Amino acid sequence: MNFDDTPQEAAFRAEARDWISANAPHQYKDELAKASLGRVQLKGANILEVGKAWQKKKADAGWACLHWPKDYGGRGATPIERVIWQQEEGVFGKLSGLFIIGHGMCGPTMMAYASEDQKREYLPPLASGEKVWCQLFSEPAGGSDVAGLRTRAERDGDDWIINGQKIWTSGAHYSDHGILITRTDPTVPKHKGLTMFFLDMKSPGVEIKPIKQANGQAEFNEVYFTNVRIPDAQRLGAVGDGWNVSLTTLMNERMSIGANVATGFPELFAFCANLTLGDGPALDDRAVRSKLANWAVRASGLKYTSFRAISALSRGERPGPENSIGKLVAGSMIQDVATYALDLQGAAGVVSSPEQAELGGKFQAMLLRSPATRVEGGTDEILRNIIAERVLGLPGDIRVDKDVPFNKIPTKGR
Amino acid sequence: MNFDFSDDQKQLRDQARRFLAEHSSPKAVRAVLDGAKPYDRDLWKGLAGMGFLGVAIPEEFGGAGAGHLELCVIAEEMGRALAPVPFSSSIYLAAEAIMLAGSDEQKKKYLPGLADGTTIGTLALFEGPGNPSPRAIKAAVTNGALSGTKLPVSDGDIADIAIVAARTAQSGRETDIALFIVDLKGKGVSRKTLTNIDPSRNQAEITFDNCPAEPLGPAAEGWSLLTRVLDRAAVLVAFEQVGGADRTLEMGRDYALDRIAFGRQIGSFQAVKHLLADMYVSVTLARSNAYYGAWALSTNASELSEAAAAARISATQAFQHCSKNNIQVHGGMGFTWEFDCHLYYRRSNALALALGSLSYWEDQLIDRLRTRNAA
Ligand SMILES: Cc1cc2nc3c(=O)[nH]c(=O)nc-3n(C[C@H](O)[C@H](O)[C@H](O)COP(=O)(O)OP(=O)(O)OC[C@H]3O[C@@H](n4cnc5c(N)ncnc54)[C@H](O)[C@@H]3O)c2cc1C
């Protein structure tokens, strides 16, 4: 049991460190360090442009999508090298928010199901950040119940014609491509009638409407499809096998979302270290200490759980459903941490204007963004189901719609 | 980086699990719980015979000299099996204290007996309610003689020797506290068994009346030695707690698959599934923190005290959380004497208080984080 780099890993780390110190956009370092969940903004610069430029620079030097094969724009790195890179990249990793879905979910799905020619065509520009991808899964009728989706795909010669609506699609408004799950047969039970595609988001008939979010920002969108044509060659997996294809995506989603979720703990601890409560330092207060200790062990527990997972990966084991715990634990933790950080500020906790609020309003931004963490990429409840069923082997939920043809399933609760 | 036990260590775990499954069955635990005997002598001898007691004690002092990672692996299995023996007192506390602070002569004198189980040791620290603190120690040594009362002392009835924390001066500083080795079979020692929430482990009150006390380690360093002993023990006890928590999760899962209500397995009800999923989460976090503690313990890292406190808090929470919800999953059955759920519930709550309660470890953790953050 050790944390030490092997000589090879140490050499890799030194190389990464040198390259980062010579090439990273250091002018943004302080601002990035201060940014937190729900707010990564750069004064006088467009975060999307800065993010794309950093990604391109990394790709040109062989530091993009490290674990992908070289032929597809990656570096063929080991899981540990990937972690070493993340450790060295530090706050500059916050510039990659734009690519999380493309790199974490769309890329792996393309790798598993696209043709060799397609992989060589589409993956390198995805890795290098020249193209941005989105994931078109959720619908008004199918969120947790992904297989309840209604967007139709009908065969027309060598093409498919798509009609319907997606929702909560992050980044659709600046994406070049997307992976899309559709219903191709409404007369069979819901999991059996699905088919997956990828498409050009600039295709005629695709209409994107940004949705204003509860925290005031607009990361996600409604996407409407009216007679959109997709060539059959852009189908991923067999007709009717879309459910299995989507499981590949969702598993990767949990890995990539779950691996490095913010907990808010380091920010809270630093805040308390400088805070005076009553007539003494907050860190001398028994109640504060107890709360902090409780969160400290959750944060360290997550950290070392991910180290254990990486150790297993580097022994050649596959990432399993147990990776669901990262987001499950961190999601409610960051919400509670933010609530507590505001509580410690008393009435002033309500103020979020960056000039007056403590730490530039970081905790207020966290508070307002955190509900999304508990929903996106699988709700707390769905993640618990996954742990219970796939890790502990408990029975699946009773599914009243399982053997019913999709077009016979009721559509309204009341 | 390799954040896991080695194949050899995992083999040792399997070996310990098999041995304990056979020799520390719930029936054996109950024999102690019911008061028939203060601990399971045969199991103790068996553990000695397997070399488990001395696994981290150097060969030159009669141990196997394997190391602390190996001891962690065995600790987890001891916790899983609720082994009704003075392992934690004798090995994590007494032997560790002597290894840490003892002279060569003291190591030669005491460690072989602790390693082969012929000597049982313990730590006599507490004097009634309260957490470890120099001020709470009233027992005093004057002119080489110890007087005072310690309560509770884990395995205090069973032990042959005790490491005693006692006062040598009244300056009010930590340096007033020193450690001593005391022969519990000697003159002036009287012991009283205390009924306690986990009768599968012995707790006693020990009164010392002018007993000969042999200094252990430099006199002025008693308190700092003691906190180091507690840190080391905290990692090991955390593994016991993780073992117990993991076992209760397993028990709950198995029952949820077996029991039918409303025409279905209760494990198909989402409320029950989510209860068990949350148990899995707390065991997983605790295990990961314990591994960090194991790494720090085995390498004597400067992070040890922080890692130990994190492991201790996380494992205490996990074992308490899992053992109480295991009863919930079992329904009325879970509250019968006959079912084993209460054995784990008792042990989880007893272990939560051993070595100082959560508030002590919370303080330790925050102090360490504060120091690190300020650095
Ligand atoms: C910020 C953000 C970004 C997102 N980005 C994307 C994206 O890029 N692409 C995309 O496809 N989707 C995206 N989503 C959608 C997200 O995946 C869904 O919102 C999520 O899966 C929940 O689905 P829903 O919103 O339909 O809620 P519902 O499924 O309607 O859930 C409502 C409530 O019912 C509970 N519930 C539902 N089913 C069960 C069950 N079986 N057992 C117990 N409880 C249940 C849920 O836990 C929840 O509490 C995003 C969401 C957010 C908030």
Side-chain angles (χ1 to χ4, degrees):
Chain A
M1 189 174 290
N2 66 63
F3 293 106
D4 306 334
D5 289 341
T6 63
Q8 251 168 325
E9 286 160 3
F12 178 88
R13 187 185 293 281
E15 199 192 331
R17 185 174 294 173
D18 289 349
W19 188 83
I20 289 165
S21 91
N23 292 284
H26 295 286
Q27 68 271 36
Y28 303 119
K29 188 163 186 181
D30 290 347
E31 266 180 288
L32 288 170
K34 278 188 221 134
S36 75
L37 182 77
R39 186 153 71 199
V40 185
Q41 282 170 336
L42 302 174
K43 279 195 206 79
N46 181 329
I47 174 91
L48 300 187
E49 280 165 23
V50 177
K52 280 194 161 195
W54 174 230
Q55 190 64 28
K56 180 79 173 73
K57 209 168 183 185
K58 288 195 280 186
D60 289 345
W63 297 106
C65 294
L66 294 161
H67 57 301
W68 289 13
K70 283 199 179 124
D71 284 351
Y72 307 147
R75 188 189 179 95
T78 65
I80 301 220
E81 286 172 342
R82 192 178 163 198
V83 172
I84 291 174
W85 167 264
Q86 282 167 356
Q87 289 170 346
E88 297 301 324
E89 189 181 20
V91 295
F92 298 110
K94 290 189 186 176
L95 289 171
S96 309
L98 179 61
F99 306 112
I100 289 177
I101 291 178
H103 292 164
M105 299 143 218
C106 305
T109 310
M110 289 290 285
M111 242 174 275
Y113 289 98
S115 72
E116 190 54 38
D117 286 349
Q118 288 169 335
K119 289 189 226 180
R120 286 171 192 269
E121 178 179 350
Y122 289 97
L123 291 174
L126 167 55
S128 64
E130 285 150 272
K131 300 288 183 193
V132 176
W133 285 58
C134 64
Q135 176 184 342
L136 300 143
F137 279 23
S138 299
E139 294 192 11
S144 304
D145 181 12
V146 185
L149 60 93
R150 308 188 154 265
T151 293
R152 297 189 315 281
E154 281 148 338
R155 188 90 198 214
D156 182 36
D158 280 346
D159 290 343
W160 292 82
I161 313 281
I162 317 292
N163 279 287
Q165 183 201 349
K166 295 287 169 180
I167 197 166
W168 325 129
T169 315
S170 298
H173 52 306
Y174 49 67
S175 287
D176 304 285
H177 302 285
I179 54 172
L180 170 73
I181 184 160
T182 63
R183 184 162 307 281
T184 41
D185 186 353
T187 67
V188 294
K190 65 179 185 178
H191 289 96
K192 300 205 169 109
L194 304 174
T195 303
M196 184 82 86
F197 300 93
F198 70 92
L199 87 161
D200 183 340
M201 289 298 284
K202 310 285 173 341
S203 307
V206 177
E207 193 191 347
I208 298 162
K209 293 191 183 164
I211 303 175
K212 189 166 181 184
Q213 293 168 184
N215 63 344
Q217 307 210 339
E219 304 160 88
F220 59 26
N221 306 270
E222 290 177 293
V223 182
Y224 291 89
F225 295 89
T226 315
N227 294 324
V228 175
R229 276 190 179 269
I230 301 184
D232 185 55
Q234 291 181 198
R235 175 164 44 80
L236 296 171
V239 174
D241 199 33
W243 181 246
N244 281 323
V245 181
S246 76
L247 289 181
T248 309
T249 317
L250 295 174
M251 183 60 94
N252 279 292
E253 173 163 15
R254 263 159 223 132
M255 257 309 274
S256 91
I257 295 189
N260 273 311
V261 260
T263 61
F265 180 73
E267 291 88 347
L268 180 67
F269 194 88
F271 177 59
C272 289
N274 295 313
L275 182 72
T276 301
L277 263 196
D279 44 11
L283 279 188
D284 287 348
D285 185 282
R286 185 85 269 291
V288 172
R289 293 169 83 87
S290 182
K291 290 259 191 197
L292 288 177
N294 183 40
W295 283 317
V297 305
R298 291 179 93 71
S300 62
L302 283 184
K303 175 173 164 193
Y304 299 116
T305 298
S306 76
F307 281 14
R308 286 172 54 212
I310 293 156
S311 300
L313 278 181
S314 51
R315 280 195 304 266
E317 290 172 26
R318 305 195 112 254
E322 58 279 2
N323 292 299
S324 299
I325 90 165
K327 196 180 83 81
L328 176 61
V329 172
S332 42
M333 178 167 158
I334 196 165
Q335 190 165 35
D336 294 346
V337 160
T339 307
Y340 188 61
L342 265 54
D343 182 79
L344 285 171
Q345 298 167 34
V350 75
V351 177
S352 61
S353 48
E355 306 74 41
Q356 279 85 18
E358 292 287 340
L359 295 168
K362 201 175 212 176
F363 292 118
Q364 286 78 5
M366 249 184 222
L367 177 85
L368 295 180
R369 176 60 170 76
S370 57
T373 309
R374 297 181 57 199
V375 171
E376 63 191 341
T379 63
D380 287 1
E381 292 70 31
I382 296 297
L383 298 179
R384 285 195 174 91
N385 282 353
I386 290 170
I387 291 172
E389 293 169 20
R390 312 256 302 281
V391 183
L392 299 178
L394 292 162
D397 273 3
I398 301 227
R399 302 224 160 102
V400 291
D401 58 359
K402 191 162 174 256
D403 300 317
V404 182
F406 181 73
N407 53 13
K408 300 269 158 46
I409 297 172
T411 55
K412 262 294 192 194
R414 49 170 199 164
Chain B
M1 180 179 73
N2 178 21
F3 207 56
D4 197 358
F5 288 104
S6 69
D7 288 343
D8 283 351
Q9 286 154 357
K10 287 178 188 167
Q11 240 168 25
L12 177 66
R13 163 155 62 205
D14 293 345
Q15 192 192 13
R17 186 171 301 186
R18 275 195 309 272
F19 179 84
L20 285 160
E22 201 177 318
H23 297 93
S24 178
S25 66
K27 212 171 133 207
V29 177
R30 282 166 182 279
V32 176
L33 181 85
D34 291 339
K37 43 188 178 178
Y39 74 107
D40 189 332
R41 273 196 183 78
D42 293 338
L43 174 61
W44 188 244
K45 283 204 191 104
L47 290 167
M50 295 294 285
F52 292 160
L53 303 186
V55 73
I57 295 174
E59 278 173 286
E60 52 173 322
F61 303 121
H68 282 86
L69 290 177
E70 285 71 11
L71 183 54
C72 288
V73 160
I74 291 170
E76 181 177 341
E77 297 311 316
M78 300 292 276
R80 165 178 287 272
L82 293 178
V85 287
F87 191 64
S88 54
S89 303
S90 200
I91 305 301
Y92 315 161
L93 292 166
E96 287 293 325
I98 291 167
M99 284 200 279
L100 194 69
S103 64
D104 230 39
E105 213 172 301
Q106 286 172 321
K107 290 181 190 169
K108 278 198 195 109
K109 179 169 165 198
Y110 294 108
L111 291 177
L114 292 166
D116 71 14
T118 50
T119 305
I120 294 174
T122 188
L123 174 76
L125 166 61
F126 301 105
E127 302 183 15
N131 275 324
S133 108
R135 259 168 300 134
I137 295 176
K138 305 275 184 277
V141 169
T142 22
N143 302 326
L146 167 72
S147 291
T149 298
K150 295 286 183 179
L151 160 166
V153 182
S154 299
D155 304 302
D157 268 348
I158 304 165
D160 304 296
I161 58 168
I163 312 299
V164 181
R167 171 169 299 287
T168 52
Q170 302 288 344
S171 77
R173 284 191 293 268
E174 282 182 13
T175 47
D176 290 353
I177 307 300
L179 296 183
F180 298 89
I181 305 177
V182 178
D183 177 1
L184 294 178
K185 300 207 166 118
K187 268 209 316 251
V189 176
S190 51
R191 326 192 209 188
K192 199 157 78 191
T193 306
L194 304 169
T195 53
N196 87 86
I197 59 169
D198 175 20
S200 67
R201 291 294 305 280
N202 171 265
Q203 300 287 343
E205 176 185 288
I206 306 185
T207 303
F208 301 96
D209 182 13
N210 270 311
C211 300
E214 172 185 340
L216 175 66
E221 287 172 27
W223 186 254
S224 78
L225 285 168
L226 182 74
T227 53
R228 287 168 66 197
V229 170
L230 291 177
D231 284 349
R232 300 174 77 78
V235 174
L236 296 161
V237 172
F239 272 92
E240 284 204 4
Q241 293 170 305
V242 166
D246 203 37
R247 177 68 195 125
T248 48
L249 168 60
E250 231 170 61
M251 289 164 75
R253 194 260 324 266
D254 291 350
Y255 192 77
L257 288 171
D258 262 359
R259 169 77 172 163
I260 305 276
F262 298 95
R264 23 197 288 219
Q265 291 162 295
I266 58 167
S268 69
F269 293 114
Q270 208 175 56
V272 174
K273 282 160 77 165
H274 288 190
L275 208 59
L276 289 160
D278 285 340
M279 288 160 71
Y280 172 81
V281 168
S282 61
V283 180
T284 302
L285 295 178
R287 179 179 294 284
S288 301
N289 279 312
Y291 279 27
Y292 177 47
W295 166 80
L297 176 64
S298 67
T299 56
N300 238 322
S302 60
E303 291 91 340
L304 176 59
S305 58
E306 179 185 326
R312 168 79 181 149
I313 295 167
S314 195
T316 297
Q317 291 174 340
F319 197 11
Q320 287 184 314
H321 176 79
C322 290
S323 70
K324 76 178 177 194
N325 284 331
N326 181 38
I327 297 184
Q328 186 66 19
V329 169
H330 276 76
M333 278 298 186
F335 197 63
T336 61
W337 188 262
E338 177 140 351
F339 264 60
D340 294 332
C341 303
H342 70 105
L343 305 183
Y344 286 87
Y345 184 62
R346 290 168 184 283
R347 183 65 63 84
S348 74
N349 285 293
L351 288 183
L353 304 171
L355 313 177
S357 65
L358 271 183
S359 54
Y360 170 79
W361 292 101
E362 287 170 356
D363 280 343
Q364 297 294 308
L365 180 60
I366 298 305
D367 286 343
R368 300 306 138 78
L369 290 176
R370 182 187 228 167
T371 313
R372 178 155 64 81
N373 239 40

